[in-house]
Coordinates of all heavy atoms in Angstrom, one line a residue:
M1 N -27.4 -3.8 17.5 CA -26.4 -2.8 17.3 C -27.0 -1.4 17.6 O -28.0 -1.0 16.9 CB -25.9 -2.9 15.8 CG -24.7 -2.0 15.5 SD -24.0 -2.5 14.0 CE -24.9 -1.5 12.8
S2 N -26.5 -0.7 18.5 CA -27.1 0.5 19.0 C -26.6 1.7 18.1 O -27.3 2.7 18.1 CB -26.7 0.8 20.4 OG -25.3 0.8 20.6
G3 N -25.5 1.6 17.4 CA -25.0 2.7 16.6 C -23.6 2.4 16.2 O -23.0 1.4 16.7
P4 N -23.1 3.3 15.4 CA -21.7 3.0 15.0 C -20.7 3.1 16.1 O -20.8 4.0 17.0 CB -21.4 4.1 13.9 CG -22.6 4.9 13.8 CD -23.7 4.4 14.8
V5 N -19.7 2.2 16.1 CA -18.7 2.2 17.1 C -17.7 3.3 16.8 O -17.3 4.0 17.7 CB -18.0 0.8 17.1 CG1 -16.8 0.8 18.1 CG2 -19.0 -0.3 17.5
C6 N -17.4 3.5 15.6 CA -16.5 4.6 15.2 C -17.0 5.2 13.9 O -17.7 4.5 13.1 CB -15.1 4.1 15.1 SG -14.8 3.0 13.7
E7 N -16.6 6.4 13.6 CA -16.9 7.0 12.3 C -15.7 7.0 11.3 O -15.8 7.5 10.3 CB -17.3 8.5 12.6 CG -18.6 8.6 13.3 CD -19.8 7.9 12.6 OE1 -19.8 8.0 11.3 OE2 -20.7 7.4 13.2
C8 N -14.6 6.3 11.7 CA -13.5 6.3 10.9 C -13.7 5.4 9.7 O -14.5 4.4 9.7 CB -12.2 5.9 11.6 SG -12.3 4.2 12.3
T9 N -13.0 5.7 8.6 CA -13.1 4.8 7.4 C -11.8 4.3 6.9 O -11.7 3.8 5.9 CB -13.8 5.6 6.2 OG1 -13.0 6.8 6.0 CG2 -15.2 6.0 6.5
F10 N -10.8 4.4 7.8 CA -9.5 3.8 7.5 C -9.2 2.7 8.5 O -9.3 2.9 9.7 CB -8.3 4.8 7.5 CG -7.0 4.2 7.0 CD1 -6.8 4.0 5.7 CD2 -6.1 3.9 8.0 CE1 -5.6 3.4 5.3 CE2 -4.9 3.3 7.6 CZ -4.6 3.1 6.2
F11 N -8.7 1.6 8.0 CA -8.4 0.4 8.9 C -7.0 -0.1 8.6 O -6.6 -0.2 7.5 CB -9.4 -0.7 8.6 CG -10.9 -0.2 8.7 CD1 -11.6 0.2 7.6 CD2 -11.5 -0.2 10.0 CE1 -12.9 0.6 7.8 CE2 -12.8 0.3 10.1 CZ -13.5 0.6 9.0
D12 N -6.3 -0.3 9.7 CA -4.9 -0.8 9.6 C -5.0 -2.4 9.6 O -5.9 -3.0 10.0 CB -4.1 -0.4 10.8 CG -3.8 1.1 10.8 OD1 -3.5 1.6 9.7 OD2 -3.8 1.7 11.9
E13 N -3.9 -2.9 9.1 CA -3.7 -4.4 9.1 C -3.8 -4.9 10.6 O -3.2 -4.3 11.5 CB -2.4 -4.8 8.5 CG -2.4 -4.6 7.0 CD -1.0 -5.0 6.4 OE1 -0.2 -5.6 7.1 OE2 -0.8 -4.7 5.2
G14 N -4.6 -5.9 10.8 CA -4.7 -6.5 12.2 C -5.9 -6.0 12.9 O -6.2 -6.5 14.0
D15 N -6.6 -4.9 12.4 CA -7.8 -4.4 13.1 C -8.9 -5.4 13.0 O -9.1 -6.0 11.9 CB -8.2 -3.1 12.5 CG -7.3 -1.9 12.8 OD1 -6.5 -2.1 13.7 OD2 -7.5 -0.8 12.2
W16 N -9.7 -5.6 14.0 CA -10.9 -6.4 14.0 C -12.0 -5.5 13.5 O -12.3 -4.4 14.1 CB -11.2 -7.0 15.4 CG -10.4 -8.2 15.7 CD1 -9.3 -8.2 16.4 CD2 -10.6 -9.5 15.2 NE1 -8.8 -9.5 16.5 CE2 -9.6 -10.3 15.8 CE3 -11.6 -10.1 14.5 CZ2 -9.5 -11.7 15.5 CZ3 -11.5 -11.5 14.2 CH2 -10.5 -12.2 14.8
V17 N -12.7 -5.9 12.5 CA -13.8 -5.1 11.9 C -15.1 -6.0 11.7 O -15.0 -7.2 11.7 CB -13.4 -4.5 10.5 CG1 -12.3 -3.5 10.7 CG2 -13.0 -5.6 9.5
E18 N -16.2 -5.3 11.6 CA -17.5 -6.0 11.4 C -18.2 -5.2 10.3 O -18.0 -4.0 10.1 CB -18.3 -6.1 12.6 CG -18.8 -4.8 13.2 CD -19.6 -5.1 14.5 OE1 -19.8 -6.2 14.9 OE2 -19.9 -4.0 15.1
S19 N -19.1 -5.9 9.6 CA -20.0 -5.2 8.6 C -21.0 -4.3 9.3 O -21.6 -4.7 10.3 CB -20.7 -6.3 7.8 OG -21.6 -5.7 6.9
R20 N -21.2 -3.1 8.8 CA -22.2 -2.2 9.3 C -23.6 -2.8 8.9 O -24.6 -2.5 9.6 CB -22.1 -0.8 8.7 CG -20.9 -0.1 9.2 CD -20.8 1.3 8.6 NE -19.6 2.0 8.9 CZ -19.5 3.0 9.8 NH1 -20.5 3.4 10.4 NH2 -18.3 3.5 10.0
L21 N -23.7 -3.5 7.9 CA -25.0 -4.0 7.4 C -25.4 -5.3 8.1 O -26.6 -5.6 8.3 CB -24.9 -4.3 5.9 CG -24.5 -3.0 5.1 CD1 -24.3 -3.4 3.6 CD2 -25.5 -1.9 5.2
N22 N -24.4 -6.1 8.5 CA -24.7 -7.4 9.1 C -23.5 -7.7 10.1 O -22.5 -8.2 9.8 CB -24.8 -8.5 8.1 CG -25.1 -9.9 8.8 OD1 -25.2 -10.0 10.0 ND2 -25.3 -10.9 7.9
P23 N -23.7 -7.4 11.4 CA -22.6 -7.5 12.4 C -22.2 -9.0 12.6 O -21.3 -9.3 13.4 CB -23.2 -6.9 13.7 CG -24.6 -6.7 13.5 CD -24.9 -6.8 12.0
D24 N -23.0 -9.9 12.1 CA -22.6 -11.3 12.2 C -21.4 -11.7 11.3 O -20.8 -12.7 11.4 CB -23.7 -12.3 11.8 CG -24.8 -12.2 12.9 OD1 -24.5 -11.9 14.1 OD2 -26.0 -12.5 12.6
I25 N -21.1 -10.7 10.4 CA -19.9 -10.9 9.5 C -18.8 -10.0 10.0 O -18.9 -8.8 10.1 CB -20.3 -10.5 8.0 CG1 -21.4 -11.3 7.5 CG2 -19.0 -10.5 7.1 CD1 -21.9 -10.9 6.1
F26 N -17.7 -10.7 10.5 CA -16.6 -10.0 11.1 C -15.3 -10.7 10.8 O -15.3 -11.9 10.4 CB -16.8 -9.7 12.6 CG -16.9 -11.0 13.4 CD1 -15.8 -11.6 13.9 CD2 -18.1 -11.7 13.5 CE1 -15.9 -12.8 14.7 CE2 -18.2 -12.8 14.3 CZ -17.1 -13.4 14.8
G27 N -14.2 -10.0 10.9 CA -12.9 -10.6 10.7 C -11.8 -9.6 10.9 O -12.0 -8.6 11.6
I28 N -10.7 -10.0 10.4 CA -9.5 -9.2 10.7 C -9.0 -8.6 9.4 O -9.0 -9.3 8.3 CB -8.4 -10.1 11.4 CG1 -7.3 -9.2 11.9 CG2 -7.9 -11.2 10.5 CD1 -6.4 -9.9 12.9
V29 N -8.6 -7.4 9.4 CA -8.1 -6.7 8.2 C -6.7 -7.3 7.8 O -5.8 -7.4 8.6 CB -8.0 -5.2 8.4 CG1 -7.3 -4.5 7.2 CG2 -9.3 -4.6 8.7
V30 N -6.6 -7.6 6.5 CA -5.4 -8.2 6.0 C -4.6 -7.1 5.2 O -3.4 -7.0 5.3 CB -5.6 -9.4 5.1 CG1 -4.4 -10.0 4.5 CG2 -6.3 -10.5 6.0
S31 N -5.3 -6.3 4.4 CA -4.7 -5.3 3.6 C -5.7 -4.3 3.1 O -6.9 -4.5 3.2 CB -3.9 -5.9 2.4 OG -4.8 -6.5 1.5
N32 N -5.2 -3.2 2.5 CA -6.0 -2.2 1.9 C -5.6 -2.0 0.4 O -4.5 -2.3 0.1 CB -5.9 -0.9 2.6 CG -6.4 -0.9 4.0 OD1 -7.5 -1.1 4.2 ND2 -5.5 -0.6 4.9
S33 N -6.5 -1.6 -0.4 CA -6.1 -1.2 -1.8 C -6.9 0.0 -2.2 O -7.8 0.4 -1.6 CB -6.4 -2.4 -2.7 OG -7.8 -2.7 -2.8
D34 N -6.4 0.6 -3.3 CA -7.0 1.8 -3.9 C -7.1 2.9 -2.8 O -8.1 3.5 -2.6 CB -8.4 1.5 -4.4 CG -8.9 2.6 -5.4 OD1 -8.0 3.4 -5.9 OD2 -10.1 2.6 -5.6
F35 N -5.9 3.1 -2.1 CA -5.7 4.2 -1.1 C -6.8 4.0 0.0 O -7.3 5.0 0.5 CB -5.8 5.6 -1.7 CG -4.7 5.8 -2.8 CD1 -5.1 5.7 -4.1 CD2 -3.4 6.0 -2.4 CE1 -4.1 5.9 -5.1 CE2 -2.5 6.2 -3.3 CZ -2.8 6.1 -4.7
G36 N -7.1 2.8 0.4 CA -8.0 2.6 1.6 C -9.4 2.5 1.2 O -10.3 2.3 2.1
R37 N -9.7 2.6 -0.1 CA -11.1 2.5 -0.5 C -11.7 1.1 -0.3 O -12.8 0.9 0.1 CB -11.3 2.9 -2.0 CG -12.7 2.9 -2.5 CD -12.7 3.4 -3.9 NE -14.1 3.4 -4.4 CZ -14.4 3.6 -5.7 NH1 -13.4 3.7 -6.6 NH2 -15.6 3.6 -6.0
F38 N -10.9 0.1 -0.6 CA -11.3 -1.3 -0.4 C -10.4 -1.9 0.7 O -9.2 -1.6 0.8 CB -11.0 -2.1 -1.7 CG -11.9 -1.6 -2.9 CD1 -11.3 -0.8 -3.9 CD2 -13.2 -2.0 -2.9 CE1 -12.1 -0.4 -4.9 CE2 -14.0 -1.5 -4.0 CZ -13.4 -0.7 -5.0
V39 N -11.1 -2.7 1.5 CA -10.4 -3.4 2.6 C -10.6 -4.9 2.4 O -11.7 -5.4 2.2 CB -11.1 -3.0 4.0 CG1 -10.4 -3.7 5.1 CG2 -11.0 -1.5 4.1
H40 N -9.4 -5.6 2.5 CA -9.4 -7.1 2.4 C -9.5 -7.7 3.8 O -8.6 -7.4 4.6 CB -8.2 -7.5 1.6 CG -8.0 -6.7 0.4 ND1 -8.7 -6.9 -0.7 CD2 -7.1 -5.8 0.1 CE1 -8.3 -6.1 -1.7 NE2 -7.3 -5.4 -1.2
V41 N -10.5 -8.4 4.0 CA -10.8 -9.0 5.4 C -10.8 -10.5 5.3 O -11.4 -11.1 4.4 CB -12.1 -8.5 5.9 CG1 -12.4 -9.1 7.3 CG2 -12.1 -6.9 6.0
Q42 N -10.1 -11.1 6.3 CA -10.2 -12.6 6.5 C -11.3 -12.8 7.5 O -11.2 -12.4 8.6 CB -8.9 -13.1 6.9 CG -8.9 -14.6 7.0 CD -7.5 -15.2 7.3 OE1 -6.6 -14.5 7.6 NE2 -7.4 -16.5 7.1
L43 N -12.4 -13.5 7.0 CA -13.5 -13.7 7.9 C -13.2 -14.7 9.0 O -12.5 -15.7 8.7 CB -14.7 -14.2 7.1 CG -15.2 -13.2 6.0 CD1 -16.4 -13.8 5.2 CD2 -15.5 -11.8 6.5
A44 N -13.7 -14.4 10.2 CA -13.4 -15.3 11.3 C -14.1 -16.6 11.3 O -13.6 -17.6 11.7 CB -13.7 -14.6 12.6
S45 N -15.3 -16.6 10.7 CA -16.1 -17.9 10.7 C -15.5 -18.9 9.7 O -15.6 -20.1 10.0 CB -17.5 -17.6 10.4 OG -17.6 -16.9 9.1
T46 N -15.1 -18.5 8.5 CA -14.7 -19.4 7.5 C -13.2 -19.3 7.1 O -12.8 -20.1 6.3 CB -15.5 -19.3 6.3 OG1 -15.3 -18.0 5.7 CG2 -17.0 -19.5 6.6
L47 N -12.5 -18.3 7.6 CA -11.1 -18.0 7.2 C -11.1 -17.6 5.7 O -10.0 -17.6 5.1 CB -10.2 -19.1 7.5 CG -10.1 -19.5 8.9 CD1 -9.1 -20.6 9.1 CD2 -9.7 -18.3 9.8
E48 N -12.2 -17.3 5.1 CA -12.3 -16.9 3.7 C -11.9 -15.4 3.6 O -12.1 -14.6 4.4 CB -13.7 -17.1 3.2 CG -14.0 -16.7 1.8 CD -15.5 -16.9 1.5 OE1 -16.3 -17.2 2.4 OE2 -15.8 -16.6 0.3
M49 N -11.2 -15.0 2.5 CA -10.8 -13.6 2.2 C -11.9 -13.0 1.4 O -12.4 -13.5 0.4 CB -9.5 -13.6 1.4 CG -8.3 -14.1 2.1 SD -7.8 -13.1 3.4 CE -7.4 -11.6 2.5
R50 N -12.4 -11.8 1.9 CA -13.4 -11.0 1.2 C -13.0 -9.6 1.1 O -12.3 -9.1 2.0 CB -14.7 -11.1 2.0 CG -15.4 -12.4 2.0 CD -16.1 -12.6 0.6 NE -16.7 -13.9 0.5 CZ -18.0 -14.1 0.4 NH1 -18.8 -13.1 0.5 NH2 -18.4 -15.3 0.3
N51 N -13.4 -8.9 0.1 CA -13.2 -7.5 -0.1 C -14.4 -6.7 0.2 O -15.5 -7.1 -0.1 CB -12.8 -7.2 -1.6 CG -11.6 -7.9 -2.0 OD1 -10.6 -8.1 -1.2 ND2 -11.5 -8.4 -3.2
F52 N -14.2 -5.6 0.9 CA -15.3 -4.7 1.3 C -15.0 -3.3 1.0 O -13.8 -2.9 1.0 CB -15.6 -4.8 2.9 CG -16.1 -6.1 3.3 CD1 -15.2 -7.1 3.7 CD2 -17.4 -6.4 3.4 CE1 -15.6 -8.3 4.2 CE2 -17.9 -7.6 3.9 CZ -17.0 -8.6 4.3
Y53 N -16.0 -2.5 0.7 CA -15.8 -1.0 0.7 C -15.6 -0.6 2.1 O -16.2 -1.1 3.0 CB -17.0 -0.3 0.1 CG -17.1 -0.3 -1.4 CD1 -17.9 -1.2 -2.0 CD2 -16.4 0.6 -2.2 CE1 -18.0 -1.3 -3.4 CE2 -16.4 0.5 -3.5 CZ -17.3 -0.4 -4.2 OH -17.4 -0.4 -5.5
A54 N -14.6 0.3 2.3 CA -14.3 0.8 3.7 C -15.5 1.3 4.4 O -15.6 1.2 5.6 CB -13.2 1.8 3.6
V55 N -16.4 2.0 3.7 CA -17.5 2.7 4.3 C -18.6 1.7 4.8 O -19.4 2.0 5.6 CB -18.2 3.7 3.4 CG1 -17.3 4.8 3.1 CG2 -18.7 3.0 2.1
T56 N -18.5 0.4 4.4 CA -19.4 -0.6 4.9 C -18.9 -1.3 6.1 O -19.6 -2.2 6.6 CB -19.7 -1.6 3.8 OG1 -18.5 -2.4 3.5 CG2 -20.3 -1.0 2.6
L57 N -17.7 -0.9 6.6 CA -17.1 -1.6 7.8 C -17.0 -0.6 9.0 O -17.0 0.6 8.8 CB -15.7 -2.1 7.5 CG -15.6 -3.2 6.4 CD1 -14.2 -3.5 6.1 CD2 -16.3 -4.5 6.9
Q58 N -16.9 -1.2 10.2 CA -16.7 -0.4 11.4 C -15.8 -1.3 12.3 O -15.8 -2.5 12.2 CB -18.0 0.0 12.1 CG -18.7 -1.2 12.6 CD -20.1 -0.7 13.2 OE1 -20.4 0.4 13.1 NE2 -20.8 -1.7 13.9
H59 N -15.0 -0.6 13.1 CA -14.2 -1.3 14.1 C -15.1 -2.0 15.1 O -16.2 -1.5 15.4 CB -13.3 -0.3 14.9 CG -12.1 0.1 14.1 ND1 -12.0 1.3 13.5 CD2 -11.0 -0.5 13.7 CE1 -10.9 1.5 12.8 NE2 -10.2 0.3 13.0
M60 N -14.6 -3.1 15.6 CA -15.4 -3.8 16.7 C -15.0 -3.3 18.0 O -13.9 -2.8 18.2 CB -15.0 -5.3 16.6 CG -15.5 -6.0 15.4 SD -15.1 -7.8 15.4 CE -16.2 -8.4 16.7
D61 N -15.9 -3.3 19.0 CA -15.6 -3.0 20.3 C -14.6 -3.9 20.9 O -14.5 -5.0 20.5 CB -16.9 -3.1 21.2 CG -17.8 -1.9 21.2 OD1 -17.3 -0.8 20.8 OD2 -19.0 -2.1 21.4
E62 N -13.7 -3.4 21.8 CA -12.7 -4.2 22.4 C -13.2 -5.4 23.0 O -12.6 -6.5 22.9 CB -11.9 -3.3 23.4 CG -11.1 -2.2 22.8 CD -9.9 -2.7 22.0 OE1 -9.3 -3.7 22.3 OE2 -9.6 -2.0 21.0
G63 N -14.4 -5.3 23.7 CA -15.0 -6.5 24.3 C -15.6 -7.5 23.4 O -15.8 -8.7 23.8
D64 N -15.9 -7.1 22.2 CA -16.5 -8.0 21.2 C -15.5 -8.8 20.4 O -15.9 -9.7 19.7 CB -17.3 -7.2 20.2 CG -18.6 -6.6 20.8 OD1 -18.9 -7.1 21.9 OD2 -19.2 -5.7 20.2
E65 N -14.2 -8.4 20.4 CA -13.2 -9.1 19.6 C -13.1 -10.5 20.1 O -12.9 -10.8 21.3 CB -11.9 -8.4 19.7 CG -11.9 -7.0 19.1 CD -10.6 -6.3 19.1 OE1 -9.6 -6.9 19.5 OE2 -10.6 -5.1 18.8
P66 N -13.1 -11.5 19.1 CA -12.9 -12.9 19.5 C -11.5 -13.2 20.0 O -10.6 -12.5 19.6 CB -13.2 -13.6 18.2 CG -13.1 -12.6 17.1 CD -13.3 -11.3 17.7
P67 N -11.3 -14.2 20.8 CA -10.0 -14.5 21.3 C -9.2 -15.0 20.1 O -9.7 -15.7 19.2 CB -10.2 -15.6 22.4 CG -11.6 -16.1 22.0 CD -12.4 -15.0 21.4
L68 N -7.9 -14.8 20.2 CA -7.0 -15.2 19.2 C -6.4 -16.6 19.5 O -5.3 -16.8 20.0 CB -5.8 -14.3 19.0 CG -6.2 -12.9 18.5 CD1 -5.0 -12.0 18.5 CD2 -6.8 -13.0 17.1
Q69 N -7.3 -17.6 19.3 CA -6.9 -19.0 19.6 C -7.4 -19.9 18.5 O -8.5 -19.6 17.9 CB -7.3 -19.5 21.0 CG -8.9 -19.5 21.1 CD -9.3 -19.8 22.5 OE1 -8.4 -20.1 23.4 NE2 -10.5 -19.9 22.8
A70 N -6.7 -20.9 18.2 CA -7.2 -21.8 17.1 C -8.3 -22.7 17.6 O -8.3 -23.2 18.7 CB -6.0 -22.7 16.7
A71 N -9.3 -22.8 16.9 CA -10.4 -23.7 17.2 C -10.1 -25.1 16.8 O -9.4 -25.3 15.8 CB -11.7 -23.2 16.4
E72 N -10.4 -26.0 17.7 CA -10.1 -27.4 17.4 C -11.1 -27.9 16.4 O -12.4 -27.8 16.6 CB -10.2 -28.2 18.7 CG -9.7 -29.6 18.6 CD -9.7 -30.3 19.9 OE1 -9.0 -29.8 20.8 OE2 -10.3 -31.4 20.0
P73 N -10.7 -28.5 15.3 CA -11.6 -29.0 14.2 C -12.5 -30.1 14.8 O -12.1 -30.9 15.6 CB -10.6 -29.6 13.2 CG -9.3 -29.1 13.5 CD -9.3 -28.7 14.9
K74 N -13.7 -30.2 14.3 CA -14.6 -31.2 14.7 C -14.2 -32.5 14.2 O -13.8 -32.7 13.1 CB -16.0 -30.9 14.2 CG -16.6 -29.6 14.8 CD -18.0 -29.4 14.3 CE -18.5 -28.1 14.8 NZ -19.8 -27.7 14.2
G75 N -14.2 -33.5 15.1 CA -13.9 -34.9 14.7 C -12.4 -35.1 14.6 O -11.9 -36.1 14.0
A76 N -11.6 -34.2 15.1 CA -10.1 -34.3 15.0 C -9.6 -35.3 16.1 O -10.1 -35.4 17.2 CB -9.4 -33.0 15.2
D77 N -8.6 -36.1 15.7 CA -8.0 -37.0 16.6 C -6.9 -36.2 17.3 O -5.9 -35.8 16.7 CB -7.4 -38.2 15.9 CG -8.5 -39.1 15.3 OD1 -9.5 -39.2 15.9 OD2 -8.2 -39.8 14.3
V78 N -7.0 -36.1 18.6 CA -6.0 -35.4 19.4 C -5.0 -36.4 19.9 O -5.4 -37.3 20.6 CB -6.6 -34.5 20.5 CG1 -5.6 -33.8 21.3 CG2 -7.6 -33.6 19.9
I79 N -3.7 -36.2 19.6 CA -2.7 -37.1 20.1 C -1.9 -36.5 21.2 O -1.3 -35.4 21.0 CB -1.8 -37.6 18.9 CG1 -2.7 -38.3 17.8 CG2 -0.7 -38.5 19.3 CD1 -1.9 -38.5 16.5
D80 N -1.7 -37.2 22.3 CA -0.9 -36.7 23.4 C 0.5 -37.4 23.2 O 0.7 -38.5 23.4 CB -1.5 -37.1 24.7 CG -0.8 -36.5 25.9 OD1 0.2 -35.8 25.7 OD2 -1.2 -36.8 27.0
F81 N 1.5 -36.6 22.8 CA 2.8 -37.1 22.6 C 3.6 -37.3 23.8 O 4.7 -37.8 23.8 CB 3.6 -36.1 21.6 CG 3.1 -36.2 20.2 CD1 2.3 -35.2 19.7 CD2 3.4 -37.3 19.4 CE1 1.8 -35.3 18.4 CE2 3.0 -37.3 18.1 CZ 2.2 -36.3 17.6
T82 N 3.0 -37.0 25.0 CA 3.8 -37.2 26.2 C 3.5 -38.6 26.8 O 4.2 -39.0 27.7 CB 3.3 -36.2 27.3 OG1 1.9 -36.3 27.6 CG2 3.6 -34.7 26.8
K83 N 2.6 -39.3 26.2 CA 2.3 -40.7 26.7 C 2.8 -41.7 25.7 O 3.0 -41.5 24.5 CB 0.8 -40.8 26.8 CG 0.2 -39.9 27.9 CD -1.3 -40.2 28.0 CE -1.8 -39.2 29.1 NZ -3.2 -39.3 29.2
E84 N 3.1 -42.9 26.2 CA 3.6 -44.0 25.4 C 2.5 -44.4 24.4 O 1.3 -44.4 24.7 CB 3.9 -45.2 26.3 CG 4.6 -46.3 25.6 CD 4.9 -47.5 26.6 OE1 6.0 -47.3 27.2 OE2 4.1 -48.4 26.7
R85 N 3.0 -44.7 23.2 CA 2.0 -45.0 22.1 C 2.7 -46.1 21.2 O 3.9 -46.0 20.9 CB 1.7 -43.8 21.4 CG 0.8 -43.9 20.3 CD 0.6 -42.6 19.6 NE -0.2 -42.7 18.4 CZ -1.5 -42.6 18.4 NH1 -2.2 -42.2 19.4 NH2 -2.2 -42.7 17.3
A86 N 1.9 -47.0 20.8 CA 2.4 -48.0 19.8 C 2.4 -47.5 18.4 O 1.4 -47.1 17.9 CB 1.5 -49.3 19.9
L87 N 3.6 -47.4 17.8 CA 3.7 -47.0 16.5 C 3.5 -48.1 15.5 O 2.8 -48.0 14.5 CB 5.1 -46.3 16.2 CG 5.4 -45.1 17.0 CD1 6.8 -44.6 16.7 CD2 4.4 -44.0 16.6
R88 N 4.1 -49.2 15.8 CA 3.9 -50.5 15.1 C 3.6 -51.6 16.1 O 3.6 -51.4 17.3 CB 5.2 -50.8 14.3 CG 5.5 -49.8 13.2 CD 6.7 -50.2 12.4 NE 7.0 -49.2 11.4 CZ 8.1 -48.4 11.5 NH1 8.9 -48.6 12.5 NH2 8.3 -47.5 10.6
K89 N 3.3 -52.8 15.6 CA 3.0 -53.9 16.5 C 4.2 -54.2 17.4 O 4.0 -54.6 18.5 CB 2.6 -55.1 15.7 CG 1.3 -54.9 15.0 CD 1.0 -56.2 14.2 CE -0.3 -56.0 13.4 NZ -0.7 -57.1 12.6
T90 N 5.4 -54.0 17.0 CA 6.5 -54.4 17.7 C 7.3 -53.2 18.4 O 8.2 -53.4 19.2 CB 7.6 -55.1 16.8 OG1 7.9 -54.2 15.8 CG2 7.0 -56.4 16.3
T91 N 6.9 -52.0 18.1 CA 7.6 -50.8 18.7 C 6.6 -49.9 19.5 O 5.5 -49.8 19.2 CB 8.3 -50.0 17.7 OG1 7.3 -49.5 16.8 CG2 9.3 -50.8 16.9
K92 N 7.2 -49.3 20.5 CA 6.4 -48.3 21.3 C 7.3 -47.1 21.5 O 8.5 -47.2 21.6 CB 6.0 -48.9 22.7 CG 4.9 -49.9 22.6 CD 4.4 -50.3 23.9 CE 3.3 -51.3 23.8 NZ 2.1 -50.9 24.6
T93 N 6.7 -46.0 21.6 CA 7.4 -44.8 22.0 C 7.5 -44.7 23.5 O 6.8 -45.4 24.2 CB 6.7 -43.5 21.5 OG1 5.5 -43.4 22.2 CG2 6.5 -43.5 20.0
E94 N 8.5 -43.9 24.0 CA 8.6 -43.7 25.4 C 8.2 -42.3 25.8 O 8.8 -41.8 26.8 CB 10.0 -44.1 25.8 CG 10.3 -45.6 25.6 CD 11.7 -45.9 26.2 OE1 12.3 -45.1 26.9 OE2 12.1 -47.0 25.9
G95 N 7.4 -41.7 25.1 CA 7.0 -40.3 25.5 C 7.0 -39.4 24.2 O 6.6 -39.9 23.2
A96 N 7.5 -38.2 24.4 CA 7.4 -37.3 23.3 C 8.2 -37.8 22.1 O 9.3 -38.4 22.2 CB 8.0 -35.9 23.8
A97 N 7.6 -37.5 20.9 CA 8.3 -38.0 19.7 C 9.4 -37.2 19.3 O 9.5 -36.0 19.6 CB 7.2 -38.0 18.6

């Protein structure tokens, strides 16, 4: 980290922020309380909600923001509903359910 990205201490809902102390901790602002003194952030890595003092956060660079796409869970069974599939021993689907 070369220096602060911004000097602002107010964050709107939906802003991507990171910790000034540890840039590996980042997430999206969900809400503010106590007139912006505390910022409620949903962490990107665990989807856990955490509260931060506003002065300990900074906006992320536009290029550093993670893409807004759902990560596929590890070990998940992906089902293609466009293909025929046996629901029971005697029945089969003919495509999309």
Side-chain angles (χ1 to χ4, degrees):
M1 190 164 87
S2 60
V5 176
C6 69
E7 293 299 326
C8 62
T9 57
F10 184 77
F11 304 96
D12 289 322
E13 291 179 5
D15 287 351
W16 282 97
V17 294
E18 65 183 355
S19 170
R20 290 181 189 253
L21 305 172
N22 183 356
D24 291 332
I25 299 174
F26 61 93
I28 192 165
V29 174
V30 177
S31 65
N32 295 300
S33 64
D34 198 17
F35 301 103
R37 183 176 179 195
F38 298 101
V39 179
H40 311 287
V41 178
Q42 185 172 12
L43 301 180
S45 58
T46 62
L47 302 180
E48 177 182 5
M49 295 290 297
R50 288 287 176 107
N51 299 322
F52 294 90
Y53 280 101
V55 295
T56 64
L57 295 174
Q58 65 184 8
H59 283 104
M60 292 180 69
D61 277 335
E62 292 292 325
D64 289 344
E65 293 179 9
L68 295 176
Q69 62 184 2
E72 191 173 304
K74 294 179 182 174
D77 292 330
V78 179
I79 299 172
D80 185 0
F81 287 104
T82 62
K83 296 182 179 175
E84 186 177 279
R85 180 179 174 95
L87 295 177
R88 296 187 182 104
K89 292 180 182 179
T90 59
T91 60
K92 287 188 177 230
T93 64
E94 293 185 13

